[in-house]
């Protein structure tokens, strides 16, 4: 079935670039990680600790803040969707950067994979798919936490998990593309230099309106802010046409990330 559905793509792409078997990389990841369930649990616990300490503890002192429509809302309900978006980002980025770098530079896994019928695009599709699965598991676990704590106020939240998967896909594609340029483990300081400020400043803990206008414009173009806006709108029911712009933004990131990853793997491993 997968090979038949990939038929038109196989005819368009250059020979050797794609064999329509990216699922083999996913199957390998499932086998390797079948005993690493603690890593998945930890991905849910981190945002949960933030939610309990800040949303519940600190939130009792804050009271209410301005929500997506400008109306006041409980701080925990404001914070939880942002942590959900961060879960999707962290799950995807962690797998698409650190794990991919080890396989690429030290385990030499992709050299062995590309000696088979699989091509660079199969590797990109498989690894990014696994990163999306991991980000989706983080998001699904945290969504259950939000549901149990009564932090979801709209049936639109049913779309939160599919959107989280889409967000994770974009971050995974971008993360893997960046990883192909990494030369050593020290370069991963740059990853944290990008991720940590986004987590702190992308309307995660307080509304965007607290910033001066020039800084608001900068934050508005950061990917995590777009993800937070999507999650906050869906879980609170403030859904608008502007969300399509956010989804289009992530679609562009995902497409560029896939293209760069494929070209870089082709250059690094096949030429």
């Amino acid at each position: 079935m997968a090979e038949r559905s990939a038929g038109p793509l196989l005819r368009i792409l250059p020979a050797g670039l794609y064999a329509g078997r990216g699922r083999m990389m996913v199957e390998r990841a499932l086998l390797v990680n079948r005993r690493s369930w603690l890593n998945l649990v930890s991905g849910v616990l981190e945002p949960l600790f933030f939610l309990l300490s800040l949303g519940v503890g600190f939130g009792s002192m804050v009271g209410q803040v301005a929500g997506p429509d400008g109306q006041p809302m409980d701080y925990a309900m404001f914070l939880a969707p942002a942590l959900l978006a961060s879960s999707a980002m962290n799950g995807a980025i962690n797998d698409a950067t650190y794990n991919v770098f080890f396989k690429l530079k030290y385990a030499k896994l992709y050299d062995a994979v590309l000696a088979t019928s699989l091509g660079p695009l199969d590797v990109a599709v498989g690894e990014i798919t696994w990163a999306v699965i991991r980000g989706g598991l983080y998001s699904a676990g945290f969504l259950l936490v939000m549901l149990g704590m009564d932090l979801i106020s709209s049936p639109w939240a049913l779309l939160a998990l599919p959107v989280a998967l889409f967000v994770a896909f974009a971050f995974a594609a971008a993360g893997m593309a960046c990883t192909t340029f990494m030369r050593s483990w020290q370069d991963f300081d740059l990853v944290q230099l990008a991720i940590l400020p986004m987590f702190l400043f992308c309307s995660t803990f307080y509304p965007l309106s607290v910033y001066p206008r020039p800084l608001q414009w900068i934050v508005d173009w950061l990917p995590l802010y777009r993800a937070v806006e999507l999650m906050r709108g869906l879980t609170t029911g403030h859904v608008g046409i502007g969300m399509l712009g956010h989804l289009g933004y992530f679609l562009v990131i995902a497409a560029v990330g896939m293209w760069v990853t494929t070209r870089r793997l082709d250059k690094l491993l096949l030429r």
Side-chain angles (χ1 to χ4, degrees):
M1 177 67 74
E3 282 78 2
R4 280 202 300 271
S5 63
L9 190 58
L10 289 171
R11 289 193 290 269
I12 295 172
L13 293 173
L17 191 66
Y18 185 57
R21 304 185 67 192
R23 71 183 188 282
M24 306 305 297
M25 300 299 298
V26 179
E27 290 180 10
R28 179 194 177 278
L30 287 170
L31 289 173
V32 170
N33 290 277
R34 68 185 185 277
R35 299 184 186 279
S36 302
W37 58 271
L38 279 175
N39 291 334
L40 300 178
V41 174
S42 66
V44 178
L45 291 179
E46 181 180 351
L48 175 60
F49 292 153
F50 272 107
L51 181 61
L52 293 176
S53 62
L54 295 177
V56 178
F58 182 67
S60 63
M61 295 184 289
V62 173
Q64 294 186 322
V65 296
D69 61 346
Q71 298 298 315
M73 62 186 302
D74 290 340
Y75 185 69
M77 192 169 288
F78 175 87
L79 176 63
L83 295 176
L84 173 61
S86 299
S87 295
M89 176 187 71
N90 289 334
I93 285 290
N94 288 339
D95 214 279
T97 54
Y98 296 98
N99 290 344
V100 166
F101 182 78
F102 176 78
K103 296 172 188 176
L104 178 65
K105 297 292 186 179
Y106 294 95
K108 302 296 182 182
L109 173 66
Y110 303 139
D111 296 82
V113 168
L114 295 180
T116 68
S117 61
L118 275 70
L121 185 54
D122 294 287
V123 173
V125 169
E127 292 290 15
I128 290 171
T129 298
W130 172 248
V132 171
I133 291 173
R134 183 170 176 176
L137 289 173
Y138 285 14
S139 302
F142 192 68
L143 265 174
L144 291 176
V145 170
M146 291 176 63
L147 186 63
M149 296 180 66
D150 196 25
L151 297 176
I152 295 176
S153 59
S154 169
W156 282 104
L158 292 172
L159 297 177
L161 183 57
V163 171
L165 292 174
F166 192 66
V167 168
F169 175 49
F171 275 110
M176 190 169 179
C178 292
T179 301
T180 60
F181 291 94
M182 300 290 184
R183 297 161 298 177
S184 68
W185 291 109
Q186 284 71 29
D187 290 338
F188 281 91
D189 290 341
L190 300 174
V191 175
Q192 292 303 315
L193 186 62
I195 296 300
L196 186 58
M198 280 200 296
F199 177 66
L200 293 176
F201 298 109
C202 285
S203 190
T204 309
F205 301 105
Y206 30 77
L208 187 63
S209 58
V210 303
Y211 296 127
R213 187 58 191 170
L215 190 54
Q216 289 183 30
W217 186 87
I218 294 173
V219 171
D220 184 58
W221 282 97
L222 295 177
L224 183 58
Y225 173 74
R226 302 293 182 106
V228 169
E229 286 295 287
L230 284 169
M231 297 304 172
R232 198 165 276 152
L234 290 172
T235 56
T236 60
H238 297 99
V239 178
I241 194 69
M243 287 187 170
L244 295 179
H246 297 328
L247 293 174
Y249 174 92
F250 284 112
L251 181 62
V252 171
I253 291 178
V256 172
M258 287 285 292
W259 181 79
V260 172
T261 298
T262 303
R263 292 296 297 266
R264 286 289 297 168
L265 289 177
D266 184 36
K267 180 179 179 179
L268 291 171
L269 302 176
L270 294 181
R271 296 181 184 179

